[in-house]
Amino acid sequence: MSGRLRLRVAVVIEPDGDGYHAYCPALKGLHAAGETEEEAVEGARIAALAYLQSMVAHGEPIPVGSECRAATANERVPIPATAVLKSLELSWPTLQPPGIS
């Protein structure tokens, strides 16, 4: 995937009743659910990509920090004791989309 901007977005997955709830702390309001952890993560991946593409399309800054960063950075993200932390790797066709802060 050279020539593409790659971001790593933290996703927190928690048990929720008979299924799982996933959310991205860096992307306010982004929540997904699934019957399995994998379904919740996949829903979060699809939602995060749409969320970030919308931000870029509207000229809004991408919230780069410890929970959304370049794919090569290594930072720790605090999570609840009952949760699992995963990372989504998302990419764009250019090295620098507009609106990165």
Side-chain angles (χ1 to χ4, degrees):
M1 284 192 197
S2 62
R4 297 176 75 85
L5 173 67
R6 294 181 346 167
L7 294 177
R8 190 159 300 213
V9 179
V11 178
V12 179
I13 301 100
E14 299 178 300
D16 185 25
D18 292 336
Y20 292 86
H21 169 240
Y23 63 95
C24 298
L27 306 177
K28 303 301 179 209
L30 190 146
H31 297 268
E35 291 183 15
T36 65
E37 274 188 44
E38 293 78 18
E39 285 179 8
V41 169
E42 179 61 13
R45 186 191 69 76
I46 292 166
L49 189 54
Y51 189 111
L52 293 169
Q53 286 174 336
S54 176
M55 292 182 86
V56 169
H58 291 95
E60 297 175 25
I62 294 173
V64 176
S66 64
E67 297 161 344
C68 181
R69 61 195 182 279
T72 57
N74 291 318
E75 295 182 36
R76 307 275 304 160
V77 176
I79 62 168
T82 60
V84 174
L85 178 66
K86 299 204 179 212
S87 293
L88 301 175
E89 193 166 299
L90 308 171
S91 64
W92 273 264
T94 63
L95 289 174
Q96 280 293 343
I100 288 190
S101 61

